[in-house]
Amino acid sequence: MQMPEPYIIELPKILDERGNLSFFQNEQHIPFKIQRVYWIYDVPGGEVRGSHAFKQQAELIVALSGSFDLVLHDGKKEIKYSLNRSYMGVYIPQMIWRRLENFSTNSLALVSANTVFDEQDYIRDFNEFLALKNEHL
Ligand code: TYD
């Protein structure tokens, strides 16, 4: 079975001498329907967020402000995205291990998801994640 892969999504950017505006909307810029939006902010230096995967949840992550690294593992390899533009998003399909680290001061990570919150959807054990991924290979 072909598993979906993460990829970068460049969002619209409306340039204006009054400042820039970016946006995304259902069925046009992202490959899922948004059910929930949350954001991560005031992260103390050196802290790591995430370090889990989701069975069903897919996401778009954007560095609305500042910068951080998004480190993804698909069960075989790790790939790192350094996010520092408020018009660049990374689409993360279900069943990708992901962590966010190296947050700059005042960084703001916006996460849009295709599910409402469900703790049962989390895989918080990396070995369990690898085992589930390998079942699908
Ligand atoms: P968690 O997803 O583990 O944080 P991160 O992956 O960024 O390190 O969530 C932290 C806590 O917040 C956890 O107790 C679940 C809760 N939470 C909600 O109640 N609703 C939500 O939409 C999210 C994302 C988390």
Side-chain angles (χ1 to χ4, degrees):
M1 186 171 67
Q2 188 70 29
M3 296 299 282
E5 298 276 339
Y7 56 86
I8 292 173
I9 297 180
E10 184 162 346
L11 301 167
K13 181 161 71 160
I14 317 286
L15 300 176
D16 193 310
E17 58 274 14
R18 299 168 301 156
N20 302 336
L21 183 154
S22 288
F23 64 97
F24 52 92
Q25 60 189 24
N26 280 334
E27 287 164 32
Q28 199 178 355
H29 305 102
I30 51 173
F32 59 83
K33 196 157 184 215
I34 299 166
Q35 296 273 11
R36 176 170 46 118
V37 176
Y38 61 96
W39 48 100
I40 298 168
Y41 55 101
D42 288 348
V43 178
E47 284 294 344
V48 174
R49 301 292 311 221
S51 279
H52 49 67
F54 297 107
K55 293 174 211 159
Q56 298 297 333
Q57 182 176 317
E59 310 172 311
L60 179 80
I61 299 188
V62 181
L64 279 191
S65 174
S67 63
F68 53 85
D69 293 337
L70 178 61
V71 184
L72 304 182
H73 201 296
D74 66 4
K76 288 201 155 146
K77 61 183 184 316
E78 193 170 85
I79 178 164
K80 180 159 86 176
Y81 297 92
S82 293
L83 296 182
N84 59 6
R85 295 280 180 268
S86 38
Y87 57 87
M88 297 295 281
V90 176
Y91 165 65
I92 309 172
Q94 64 193 71
M95 288 302 287
I96 297 287
W97 189 269
R98 54 91 155 160
R99 68 176 193 274
L100 290 79
E101 62 188 24
N102 199 20
F103 286 86
S104 70
T105 305
N106 287 333
S107 56
L108 172 57
L110 181 76
V111 186
S112 305
N114 68 336
T115 60
V116 295
F117 176 72
D118 177 7
E119 183 62 43
Q120 300 304 314
D121 193 45
Y122 282 70
I123 304 167
R124 293 192 182 273
D125 182 292
F126 188 63
N127 289 325
E128 184 190 343
F129 165 74
L130 288 179
L132 284 168
K133 279 301 263 195
N134 288 328
E135 271 176 24
H136 292 106
L137 294 178

